Amino acid sequence: MSVQAIEPSPFSWRRFFGKRLALAIGGGILLFFLLLAIGAPLIAPYDPILQNADVRLQSPSLLHPFGTDNFGRDILSRVIWGTRIDLQIAVIGVLFPFLIGTAVGTIAGFFGGAVDALFMRLVDIILAFPFLVLMLSIIAILGPGLGSFYIAMALVGWVSYARLIRAQMLTLKNADYAIAAVSLGFSRFRIMFRHLLPNAVAGSIVFSMSDATLVLLSGAAVSYLGLGVQPPLAEWGVMVAEGQSFITTAWWITLFPGLSIVCLAFGFSMLGDGLAELLGVHE
């Protein structure tokens, strides 16, 4: 009796769980930090800005699991409350560049010609300057603060999204369904934003997860330099900056906010990897 070879199934359990594993890890980390931010008033054991000279520079203990800083403030409470600001930095710092870049890339890629050339020359001008230098220059002009940081990110960060969307639009506008939509007399606005953009935006959504990591680190760096969140507000970059003078004697002041930055950035990165696998997007 002849034995026929069995073709392997195209479905791969390894790939299935690989995709879901990255999504689960990234989503779980972000959900944890989100719940931490929402429940900060109930979870934090102390007031994050309350100073107490009697307990300054205490090492981690049962009363203060993450220790206290040079002003006697509880590090755990400041890390918990800092989650609110750092999540806000990551989300808002990506949202406005995403929206601006998507609109510009859609218009430039769809219309082409002079419109495309105009927008792409503007992109080239912005890319001619180092990202961090241009961002810090804008913040220095506008003045320190989160508002200045968000404006700087919106003015500088949209170019990557514009290039991604433009490349997709240049390809998709020649697809059969796009040509059929033109033949049916649909408006340009409908074709751009209802037919082409939903098929072009997957890569930008995946990229936004990696970009959130960059924005989070940039926000922490700006706060570290004194141009972002201003003391005494609890923000992880500010906390790292405040603890640098005590790194050899009170290491916990910088360790725990630094680990929080790494964990949140890792969560965004894993979520981006999971989405890239799930949507079939190659970064």
Side-chain angles (χ1 to χ4, degrees), residues 1-33:
M1 181 177 65
S2 62
V3 179
Q4 294 182 347
I6 300 176
E7 292 292 334
S9 170
F11 179 83
S12 171
W13 286 103
R14 183 177 180 181
R15 290 184 61 188
F16 178 84
F17 284 112
K19 295 175 184 179
R20 270 57 180 186
L21 181 62
L23 283 174
I25 293 175
I29 292 174
L30 294 184
L31 180 61
F32 169 76
F33 280 108

PDB file of all heavy atoms in Angstrom, residues 1-33:
ATOM      1  N   MET A   1       0.854  -1.192   0.000  1.00  0.00           N
ATOM      2  CA  MET A   1       0.000   0.000   0.000  1.00  0.00           C
ATOM      3  C   MET A   1       0.883   1.232   0.000  1.00  0.00           C
ATOM      4  O   MET A   1       1.805   1.354   0.814  1.00  0.00           O
ATOM      5  CB  MET A   1      -0.908  -0.011   1.238  1.00  0.00           C
ATOM      6  CG  MET A   1      -1.852   1.195   1.296  1.00  0.00           C
ATOM      7  SD  MET A   1      -2.972   1.114   2.721  1.00  0.00           S
ATOM      8  CE  MET A   1      -1.779   1.251   4.061  1.00  0.00           C
ATOM      9  N   SER A   2       0.618   2.089  -0.911  1.00  0.00           N
ATOM     10  CA  SER A   2       1.431   3.303  -1.022  1.00  0.00           C
ATOM     11  C   SER A   2       1.005   4.330   0.024  1.00  0.00           C
ATOM     12  O   SER A   2      -0.167   4.440   0.371  1.00  0.00           O
ATOM     13  CB  SER A   2       1.293   3.909  -2.424  1.00  0.00           C
ATOM     14  OG  SER A   2      -0.044   4.286  -2.651  1.00  0.00           O
ATOM     15  N   VAL A   3       1.992   5.006   0.502  1.00  0.00           N
ATOM     16  CA  VAL A   3       1.744   6.038   1.515  1.00  0.00           C
ATOM     17  C   VAL A   3       1.960   7.396   0.876  1.00  0.00           C
ATOM     18  O   VAL A   3       3.030   7.669   0.322  1.00  0.00           O
ATOM     19  CB  VAL A   3       2.684   5.867   2.725  1.00  0.00           C
ATOM     20  CG1 VAL A   3       2.426   6.970   3.750  1.00  0.00           C
ATOM     21  CG2 VAL A   3       2.474   4.497   3.353  1.00  0.00           C
ATOM     22  N   GLN A   4       0.947   8.214   0.898  1.00  0.00           N
ATOM     23  CA  GLN A   4       1.049   9.538   0.312  1.00  0.00           C
ATOM     24  C   GLN A   4       1.575  10.526   1.348  1.00  0.00           C
ATOM     25  O   GLN A   4       1.208  10.480   2.523  1.00  0.00           O
ATOM     26  CB  GLN A   4      -0.320  10.015  -0.180  1.00  0.00           C
ATOM     27  CG  GLN A   4      -0.859   9.197  -1.337  1.00  0.00           C
ATOM     28  CD  GLN A   4      -2.193   9.735  -1.814  1.00  0.00           C
ATOM     29  OE1 GLN A   4      -2.814  10.549  -1.151  1.00  0.00           O
ATOM     30  NE2 GLN A   4      -2.621   9.265  -2.971  1.00  0.00           N
ATOM     31  N   ALA A   5       2.451  11.368   0.876  1.00  0.00           N
ATOM     32  CA  ALA A   5       2.999  12.393   1.766  1.00  0.00           C
ATOM     33  C   ALA A   5       1.926  13.416   2.114  1.00  0.00           C
ATOM     34  O   ALA A   5       1.121  13.808   1.266  1.00  0.00           O
ATOM     35  CB  ALA A   5       4.182  13.099   1.085  1.00  0.00           C
ATOM     36  N   ILE A   6       1.879  13.754   3.357  1.00  0.00           N
ATOM     37  CA  ILE A   6       0.890  14.723   3.829  1.00  0.00           C
ATOM     38  C   ILE A   6       1.500  16.119   3.806  1.00  0.00           C
ATOM     39  O   ILE A   6       2.565  16.352   4.391  1.00  0.00           O
ATOM     40  CB  ILE A   6       0.429  14.376   5.263  1.00  0.00           C
ATOM     41  CG1 ILE A   6      -0.194  12.974   5.283  1.00  0.00           C
ATOM     42  CG2 ILE A   6      -0.546  15.417   5.787  1.00  0.00           C
ATOM     43  CD1 ILE A   6      -0.577  12.520   6.673  1.00  0.00           C
ATOM     44  N   GLU A   7       0.842  16.997   3.104  1.00  0.00           N
ATOM     45  CA  GLU A   7       1.339  18.366   3.017  1.00  0.00           C
ATOM     46  C   GLU A   7       1.191  19.058   4.377  1.00  0.00           C
ATOM     47  O   GLU A   7       0.166  18.922   5.040  1.00  0.00           O
ATOM     48  CB  GLU A   7       0.550  19.153   1.966  1.00  0.00           C
ATOM     49  CG  GLU A   7       0.776  18.688   0.550  1.00  0.00           C
ATOM     50  CD  GLU A   7       2.183  18.987   0.084  1.00  0.00           C
ATOM     51  OE1 GLU A   7       2.800  19.937   0.616  1.00  0.00           O
ATOM     52  OE2 GLU A   7       2.674  18.255  -0.794  1.00  0.00           O
ATOM     53  N   PRO A   8       2.224  19.755   4.819  1.00  0.00           N
ATOM     54  CA  PRO A   8       2.115  20.459   6.099  1.00  0.00           C
ATOM     55  C   PRO A   8       1.054  21.550   6.032  1.00  0.00           C
ATOM     56  O   PRO A   8       0.859  22.177   5.002  1.00  0.00           O
ATOM     57  CB  PRO A   8       3.516  21.061   6.287  1.00  0.00           C
ATOM     58  CG  PRO A   8       4.085  21.151   4.905  1.00  0.00           C
ATOM     59  CD  PRO A   8       3.507  19.984   4.157  1.00  0.00           C
ATOM     60  N   SER A   9       0.368  21.710   7.125  1.00  0.00           N
ATOM     61  CA  SER A   9      -0.677  22.733   7.188  1.00  0.00           C
ATOM     62  C   SER A   9      -0.048  24.121   7.107  1.00  0.00           C
ATOM     63  O   SER A   9       0.990  24.373   7.716  1.00  0.00           O
ATOM     64  CB  SER A   9      -1.461  22.600   8.496  1.00  0.00           C
ATOM     65  OG  SER A   9      -2.323  23.718   8.663  1.00  0.00           O
ATOM     66  N   PRO A  10      -0.670  25.031   6.346  1.00  0.00           N
ATOM     67  CA  PRO A  10      -0.139  26.392   6.288  1.00  0.00           C
ATOM     68  C   PRO A  10      -0.266  27.121   7.620  1.00  0.00           C
ATOM     69  O   PRO A  10       0.393  28.107   7.868  1.00  0.00           O
ATOM     70  CB  PRO A  10      -1.006  27.056   5.211  1.00  0.00           C
ATOM     71  CG  PRO A  10      -2.283  26.256   5.188  1.00  0.00           C
ATOM     72  CD  PRO A  10      -1.855  24.846   5.500  1.00  0.00           C
ATOM     73  N   PHE A  11      -1.159  26.609   8.492  1.00  0.00           N
ATOM     74  CA  PHE A  11      -1.306  27.231   9.809  1.00  0.00           C
ATOM     75  C   PHE A  11      -0.176  26.763  10.718  1.00  0.00           C
ATOM     76  O   PHE A  11       0.113  25.576  10.814  1.00  0.00           O
ATOM     77  CB  PHE A  11      -2.651  26.858  10.409  1.00  0.00           C
ATOM     78  CG  PHE A  11      -2.892  27.434  11.777  1.00  0.00           C
ATOM     79  CD1 PHE A  11      -3.368  28.727  11.914  1.00  0.00           C
ATOM     80  CD2 PHE A  11      -2.619  26.689  12.908  1.00  0.00           C
ATOM     81  CE1 PHE A  11      -3.592  29.271  13.167  1.00  0.00           C
ATOM     82  CE2 PHE A  11      -2.838  27.225  14.162  1.00  0.00           C
ATOM     83  CZ  PHE A  11      -3.324  28.512  14.288  1.00  0.00           C
ATOM     84  N   SER A  12       0.472  27.673  11.358  1.00  0.00           N
ATOM     85  CA  SER A  12       1.588  27.359  12.240  1.00  0.00           C
ATOM     86  C   SER A  12       1.247  27.772  13.663  1.00  0.00           C
ATOM     87  O   SER A  12       1.035  28.953  13.938  1.00  0.00           O
ATOM     88  CB  SER A  12       2.855  28.096  11.769  1.00  0.00           C
ATOM     89  OG  SER A  12       3.881  27.963  12.733  1.00  0.00           O
ATOM     90  N   TRP A  13       1.178  26.774  14.538  1.00  0.00           N
ATOM     91  CA  TRP A  13       0.908  27.096  15.942  1.00  0.00           C
ATOM     92  C   TRP A  13       2.008  27.957  16.532  1.00  0.00           C
ATOM     93  O   TRP A  13       1.756  28.831  17.373  1.00  0.00           O
ATOM     94  CB  TRP A  13       0.763  25.805  16.754  1.00  0.00           C
ATOM     95  CG  TRP A  13      -0.529  25.103  16.506  1.00  0.00           C
ATOM     96  CD1 TRP A  13      -0.732  24.002  15.739  1.00  0.00           C
ATOM     97  CD2 TRP A  13      -1.805  25.474  17.022  1.00  0.00           C
ATOM     98  NE1 TRP A  13      -2.064  23.652  15.742  1.00  0.00           N
ATOM     99  CE2 TRP A  13      -2.743  24.538  16.533  1.00  0.00           C
ATOM    100  CE3 TRP A  13      -2.257  26.507  17.855  1.00  0.00           C
ATOM    101  CZ2 TRP A  13      -4.085  24.608  16.836  1.00  0.00           C
ATOM    102  CZ3 TRP A  13      -3.591  26.567  18.178  1.00  0.00           C
ATOM    103  CH2 TRP A  13      -4.490  25.627  17.664  1.00  0.00           C
ATOM    104  N   ARG A  14       3.218  27.722  16.094  1.00  0.00           N
ATOM    105  CA  ARG A  14       4.346  28.508  16.617  1.00  0.00           C
ATOM    106  C   ARG A  14       4.180  29.971  16.245  1.00  0.00           C
ATOM    107  O   ARG A  14       4.392  30.870  17.063  1.00  0.00           O
ATOM    108  CB  ARG A  14       5.658  27.947  16.063  1.00  0.00           C
ATOM    109  CG  ARG A  14       6.896  28.664  16.607  1.00  0.00           C
ATOM    110  CD  ARG A  14       8.137  27.997  16.074  1.00  0.00           C
ATOM    111  NE  ARG A  14       9.336  28.672  16.581  1.00  0.00           N
ATOM    112  CZ  ARG A  14      10.565  28.323  16.282  1.00  0.00           C
ATOM    113  NH1 ARG A  14      10.776  27.277  15.483  1.00  0.00           N
ATOM    114  NH2 ARG A  14      11.591  28.982  16.765  1.00  0.00           N
ATOM    115  N   ARG A  15       3.795  30.192  14.968  1.00  0.00           N
ATOM    116  CA  ARG A  15       3.590  31.578  14.534  1.00  0.00           C
ATOM    117  C   ARG A  15       2.389  32.196  15.239  1.00  0.00           C
ATOM    118  O   ARG A  15       2.388  33.360  15.614  1.00  0.00           O
ATOM    119  CB  ARG A  15       3.401  31.630  13.024  1.00  0.00           C
ATOM    120  CG  ARG A  15       4.652  31.314  12.230  1.00  0.00           C
ATOM    121  CD  ARG A  15       4.385  31.484  10.744  1.00  0.00           C
ATOM    122  NE  ARG A  15       3.999  32.853  10.455  1.00  0.00           N
ATOM    123  CZ  ARG A  15       3.555  33.246   9.263  1.00  0.00           C
ATOM    124  NH1 ARG A  15       3.412  32.371   8.285  1.00  0.00           N
ATOM    125  NH2 ARG A  15       3.230  34.497   9.072  1.00  0.00           N
ATOM    126  N   PHE A  16       1.323  31.383  15.417  1.00  0.00           N
ATOM    127  CA  PHE A  16       0.117  31.893  16.077  1.00  0.00           C
ATOM    128  C   PHE A  16       0.436  32.385  17.482  1.00  0.00           C
ATOM    129  O   PHE A  16       0.115  33.514  17.863  1.00  0.00           O
ATOM    130  CB  PHE A  16      -0.939  30.785  16.136  1.00  0.00           C
ATOM    131  CG  PHE A  16      -2.198  31.190  16.848  1.00  0.00           C
ATOM    132  CD1 PHE A  16      -3.193  31.873  16.171  1.00  0.00           C
ATOM    133  CD2 PHE A  16      -2.379  30.880  18.193  1.00  0.00           C
ATOM    134  CE1 PHE A  16      -4.365  32.242  16.825  1.00  0.00           C
ATOM    135  CE2 PHE A  16      -3.547  31.254  18.847  1.00  0.00           C
ATOM    136  CZ  PHE A  16      -4.535  31.924  18.161  1.00  0.00           C
ATOM    137  N   PHE A  17       1.097  31.532  18.281  1.00  0.00           N
ATOM    138  CA  PHE A  17       1.400  31.918  19.653  1.00  0.00           C
ATOM    139  C   PHE A  17       2.502  32.974  19.696  1.00  0.00           C
ATOM    140  O   PHE A  17       2.552  33.774  20.634  1.00  0.00           O
ATOM    141  CB  PHE A  17       1.794  30.693  20.473  1.00  0.00           C
ATOM    142  CG  PHE A  17       0.625  29.833  20.867  1.00  0.00           C
ATOM    143  CD1 PHE A  17       0.473  28.569  20.331  1.00  0.00           C
ATOM    144  CD2 PHE A  17      -0.330  30.306  21.741  1.00  0.00           C
ATOM    145  CE1 PHE A  17      -0.602  27.781  20.688  1.00  0.00           C
ATOM    146  CE2 PHE A  17      -1.414  29.530  22.099  1.00  0.00           C
ATOM    147  CZ  PHE A  17      -1.550  28.260  21.572  1.00  0.00           C
ATOM    148  N   GLY A  18       3.375  32.994  18.689  1.00  0.00           N
ATOM    149  CA  GLY A  18       4.409  34.023  18.645  1.00  0.00           C
ATOM    150  C   GLY A  18       3.802  35.402  18.498  1.00  0.00           C
ATOM    151  O   GLY A  18       4.193  36.355  19.182  1.00  0.00           O
ATOM    152  N   LYS A  19       2.829  35.514  17.608  1.00  0.00           N
ATOM    153  CA  LYS A  19       2.152  36.797  17.413  1.00  0.00           C
ATOM    154  C   LYS A  19       1.411  37.208  18.677  1.00  0.00           C
ATOM    155  O   LYS A  19       1.527  38.324  19.153  1.00  0.00           O
ATOM    156  CB  LYS A  19       1.160  36.694  16.243  1.00  0.00           C
ATOM    157  CG  LYS A  19       1.789  36.438  14.892  1.00  0.00           C
ATOM    158  CD  LYS A  19       0.688  36.232  13.852  1.00  0.00           C
ATOM    159  CE  LYS A  19       1.273  35.864  12.488  1.00  0.00           C
ATOM    160  NZ  LYS A  19       0.220  35.633  11.487  1.00  0.00           N
ATOM    161  N   ARG A  20       0.636  36.285  19.221  1.00  0.00           N
ATOM    162  CA  ARG A  20      -0.166  36.605  20.395  1.00  0.00           C
ATOM    163  C   ARG A  20       0.701  36.838  21.614  1.00  0.00           C
ATOM    164  O   ARG A  20       0.332  37.616  22.491  1.00  0.00           O
ATOM    165  CB  ARG A  20      -1.150  35.481  20.677  1.00  0.00           C
ATOM    166  CG  ARG A  20      -2.494  35.611  19.998  1.00  0.00           C
ATOM    167  CD  ARG A  20      -2.377  35.710  18.510  1.00  0.00           C
ATOM    168  NE  ARG A  20      -3.668  35.827  17.844  1.00  0.00           N
ATOM    169  CZ  ARG A  20      -3.806  35.806  16.535  1.00  0.00           C
ATOM    170  NH1 ARG A  20      -2.742  35.677  15.757  1.00  0.00           N
ATOM    171  NH2 ARG A  20      -4.988  35.933  15.982  1.00  0.00           N
ATOM    172  N   LEU A  21       1.854  36.180  21.683  1.00  0.00           N
ATOM    173  CA  LEU A  21       2.719  36.336  22.846  1.00  0.00           C
ATOM    174  C   LEU A  21       3.268  37.753  22.922  1.00  0.00           C
ATOM    175  O   LEU A  21       3.246  38.379  23.985  1.00  0.00           O
ATOM    176  CB  LEU A  21       3.865  35.319  22.793  1.00  0.00           C
ATOM    177  CG  LEU A  21       4.838  35.354  23.969  1.00  0.00           C
ATOM    178  CD1 LEU A  21       4.099  35.037  25.269  1.00  0.00           C
ATOM    179  CD2 LEU A  21       5.974  34.361  23.747  1.00  0.00           C
ATOM    180  N   ALA A  22       3.751  38.261  21.793  1.00  0.00           N
ATOM    181  CA  ALA A  22       4.273  39.627  21.779  1.00  0.00           C
ATOM    182  C   ALA A  22       3.170  40.629  22.089  1.00  0.00           C
ATOM    183  O   ALA A  22       3.372  41.573  22.864  1.00  0.00           O
ATOM    184  CB  ALA A  22       4.904  39.937  20.418  1.00  0.00           C
ATOM    185  N   LEU A  23       1.993  40.413  21.491  1.00  0.00           N
ATOM    186  CA  LEU A  23       0.859  41.298  21.774  1.00  0.00           C
ATOM    187  C   LEU A  23       0.451  41.222  23.242  1.00  0.00           C
ATOM    188  O   LEU A  23       0.148  42.247  23.866  1.00  0.00           O
ATOM    189  CB  LEU A  23      -0.334  40.929  20.892  1.00  0.00           C
ATOM    190  CG  LEU A  23      -0.300  41.381  19.434  1.00  0.00           C
ATOM    191  CD1 LEU A  23      -1.483  40.793  18.684  1.00  0.00           C
ATOM    192  CD2 LEU A  23      -0.309  42.895  19.331  1.00  0.00           C
ATOM    193  N   ALA A  24       0.434  40.009  23.778  1.00  0.00           N
ATOM    194  CA  ALA A  24       0.016  39.821  25.168  1.00  0.00           C
ATOM    195  C   ALA A  24       0.995  40.478  26.131  1.00  0.00           C
ATOM    196  O   ALA A  24       0.584  41.144  27.090  1.00  0.00           O
ATOM    197  CB  ALA A  24      -0.125  38.332  25.474  1.00  0.00           C
ATOM    198  N   ILE A  25       2.287  40.307  25.868  1.00  0.00           N
ATOM    199  CA  ILE A  25       3.292  40.896  26.756  1.00  0.00           C
ATOM    200  C   ILE A  25       3.239  42.417  26.686  1.00  0.00           C
ATOM    201  O   ILE A  25       3.171  43.108  27.711  1.00  0.00           O
ATOM    202  CB  ILE A  25       4.697  40.384  26.395  1.00  0.00           C
ATOM    203  CG1 ILE A  25       4.820  38.895  26.702  1.00  0.00           C
ATOM    204  CG2 ILE A  25       5.762  41.165  27.165  1.00  0.00           C
ATOM    205  CD1 ILE A  25       6.133  38.280  26.255  1.00  0.00           C
ATOM    206  N   GLY A  26       3.258  42.949  25.456  1.00  0.00           N
ATOM    207  CA  GLY A  26       3.215  44.399  25.290  1.00  0.00           C
ATOM    208  C   GLY A  26       1.928  45.000  25.815  1.00  0.00           C
ATOM    209  O   GLY A  26       1.945  45.995  26.555  1.00  0.00           O
ATOM    210  N   GLY A  27       0.791  44.382  25.465  1.00  0.00           N
ATOM    211  CA  GLY A  27      -0.484  44.887  25.938  1.00  0.00           C
ATOM    212  C   GLY A  27      -0.627  44.771  27.441  1.00  0.00           C
ATOM    213  O   GLY A  27      -1.187  45.669  28.091  1.00  0.00           O
ATOM    214  N   GLY A  28      -0.106  43.686  28.019  1.00  0.00           N
ATOM    215  CA  GLY A  28      -0.170  43.510  29.462  1.00  0.00           C
ATOM    216  C   GLY A  28       0.634  44.563  30.209  1.00  0.00           C
ATOM    217  O   GLY A  28       0.180  45.096  31.233  1.00  0.00           O
ATOM    218  N   ILE A  29       1.818  44.865  29.700  1.00  0.00           N
ATOM    219  CA  ILE A  29       2.657  45.895  30.333  1.00  0.00           C
ATOM    220  C   ILE A  29       1.977  47.250  30.261  1.00  0.00           C
ATOM    221  O   ILE A  29       1.913  47.991  31.257  1.00  0.00           O
ATOM    222  CB  ILE A  29       4.042  45.939  29.673  1.00  0.00           C
ATOM    223  CG1 ILE A  29       4.820  44.658  29.970  1.00  0.00           C
ATOM    224  CG2 ILE A  29       4.838  47.156  30.151  1.00  0.00           C
ATOM    225  CD1 ILE A  29       6.140  44.552  29.233  1.00  0.00           C
ATOM    226  N   LEU A  30       1.445  47.597  29.087  1.00  0.00           N
ATOM    227  CA  LEU A  30       0.783  48.896  28.938  1.00  0.00           C
ATOM    228  C   LEU A  30      -0.487  48.968  29.779  1.00  0.00           C
ATOM    229  O   LEU A  30      -0.793  50.017  30.359  1.00  0.00           O
ATOM    230  CB  LEU A  30       0.455  49.146  27.460  1.00  0.00           C
ATOM    231  CG  LEU A  30       1.657  49.302  26.525  1.00  0.00           C
ATOM    232  CD1 LEU A  30       1.196  49.631  25.117  1.00  0.00           C
ATOM    233  CD2 LEU A  30       2.599  50.387  27.028  1.00  0.00           C
ATOM    234  N   LEU A  31      -1.224  47.865  29.864  1.00  0.00           N
ATOM    235  CA  LEU A  31      -2.426  47.844  30.699  1.00  0.00           C
ATOM    236  C   LEU A  31      -2.067  48.030  32.168  1.00  0.00           C
ATOM    237  O   LEU A  31      -2.768  48.746  32.906  1.00  0.00           O
ATOM    238  CB  LEU A  31      -3.171  46.520  30.499  1.00  0.00           C
ATOM    239  CG  LEU A  31      -4.459  46.344  31.325  1.00  0.00           C
ATOM    240  CD1 LEU A  31      -5.476  47.420  30.972  1.00  0.00           C
ATOM    241  CD2 LEU A  31      -5.047  44.957  31.097  1.00  0.00           C
ATOM    242  N   PHE A  32      -0.984  47.402  32.586  1.00  0.00           N
ATOM    243  CA  PHE A  32      -0.530  47.554  33.977  1.00  0.00           C
ATOM    244  C   PHE A  32      -0.219  49.018  34.291  1.00  0.00           C
ATOM    245  O   PHE A  32      -0.678  49.556  35.310  1.00  0.00           O
ATOM    246  CB  PHE A  32       0.705  46.694  34.212  1.00  0.00           C
ATOM    247  CG  PHE A  32       1.404  46.979  35.513  1.00  0.00           C
ATOM    248  CD1 PHE A  32       0.884  46.518  36.711  1.00  0.00           C
ATOM    249  CD2 PHE A  32       2.581  47.726  35.539  1.00  0.00           C
ATOM    250  CE1 PHE A  32       1.527  46.784  37.922  1.00  0.00           C
ATOM    251  CE2 PHE A  32       3.216  48.002  36.734  1.00  0.00           C
ATOM    252  CZ  PHE A  32       2.690  47.532  37.930  1.00  0.00           C
ATOM    253  N   PHE A  33       0.530  49.680  33.411  1.00  0.00           N
ATOM    254  CA  PHE A  33       0.876  51.076  33.648  1.00  0.00           C
ATOM    255  C   PHE A  33      -0.351  51.980  33.549  1.00  0.00           C
ATOM    256  O   PHE A  33      -0.463  52.975  34.272  1.00  0.00           O
ATOM    257  CB  PHE A  33       1.951  51.538  32.668  1.00  0.00           C
ATOM    258  CG  PHE A  33       3.344  51.129  33.056  1.00  0.00           C
ATOM    259  CD1 PHE A  33       4.030  50.141  32.359  1.00  0.00           C
ATOM    260  CD2 PHE A  33       3.976  51.726  34.133  1.00  0.00           C
ATOM    261  CE1 PHE A  33       5.305  49.760  32.721  1.00  0.00           C
ATOM    262  CE2 PHE A  33       5.256  51.354  34.507  1.00  0.00           C
ATOM    263  CZ  PHE A  33       5.927  50.362  33.804  1.00  0.00           C
TER     264      PHE A  33
END
